[in-house]
Amino acid sequence: LKAKLVLPALARLHELPLREIGACLTALSPAAHGGVGPDLLDAAGRAEVRDAVRAAFAPSGGDGGAGRHWVDFRDDHWAGELRSLDTAEVLELACGLGEVGRDNARWALDSLLSELEQRLRPTRASRPSVELSHLLLLRLCRVMDLWQGHVVEEVLTHLLSSP
């Protein structure tokens, strides 16, 4: 499975639309039960994911390969791609980037957080509604430090205090 599916997907991560990148990172996320049951990737596999994310989201394309393609994509299509995602998908992508290490895709994560701030900040007395799966809620909690001082923290606090 790893050799036939995971490694080829990681090699082409820089070519995937944001929705598929988020889905790929969700599929490869650490086990939901904290070590109970098998995990698809070992430590070396997780390092490969970090390297693929770092290359795909390289800010300057300094690696001469995937990063350069990503810079072209980012400049031409980032805003449109981001607008095409629903809020839960933006949250999933942010969780995925947070789980692999926020320094591996800093500019992308900052952009996602800014987008979430705009989408989730209440404009009136009511809060925008977002449907969260149990897995997404778990992942949001797993990268809780990412949300400190952000509107997502407020949404989680509200959700967890009055389910």
Side-chain angles (χ1 to χ4, degrees):
L1 180 65
K2 183 178 173 184
K4 291 188 178 195
L5 181 64
V6 176
L7 296 179
L10 290 177
R12 299 189 64 164
L13 197 65
H14 65 278
E15 299 173 2
L16 297 175
L18 291 179
R19 179 172 282 116
E20 279 73 25
I21 291 173
C24 183
L25 293 176
T26 295
L28 297 175
S29 67
H33 294 84
V36 176
D39 195 355
L40 179 63
L41 299 174
D42 56 11
R46 297 252 165 250
E48 290 177 42
V49 172
R50 280 191 300 280
D51 291 344
V53 167
R54 187 178 303 114
F57 289 95
S60 64
D63 68 349
R68 188 167 318 285
H69 295 295
W70 180 255
V71 170
D72 293 342
F73 169 81
R74 179 187 69 190
D75 293 344
D76 294 341
H77 304 289
W78 176 262
E81 281 273 328
L82 202 51
R83 279 192 294 274
S84 75
L85 300 177
D86 64 37
T87 303
E89 290 171 322
V90 176
L91 285 166
E92 281 187 1
L93 182 56
C95 286
L97 294 178
E99 287 168 344
V100 298
R102 63 176 72 178
D103 291 333
N104 292 311
R106 182 82 251 170
W107 74 264
L109 199 47
D110 288 344
S111 178
L112 293 172
L113 291 173
S114 176
E115 179 71 17
L116 287 167
E117 183 76 30
Q118 292 175 5
R119 291 184 185 198
L120 295 176
R121 179 68 55 200
T123 55
R124 290 172 251 116
S126 66
R127 209 175 264 293
S129 66
V130 180
E131 288 191 33
L132 303 175
S133 67
H134 289 92
L135 176 61
L136 181 54
L137 183 57
L138 173 78
R139 292 180 75 206
L140 287 168
C141 292
R142 190 178 353 213
V143 293
M144 188 64 88
D145 62 317
L146 192 62
W147 314 122
Q148 287 180 348
H150 191 272
V151 69
V152 175
E153 181 181 37
E154 296 172 24
V155 170
L156 284 171
T157 301
H158 176 74
L159 178 66
L160 296 174
S161 66
S162 59

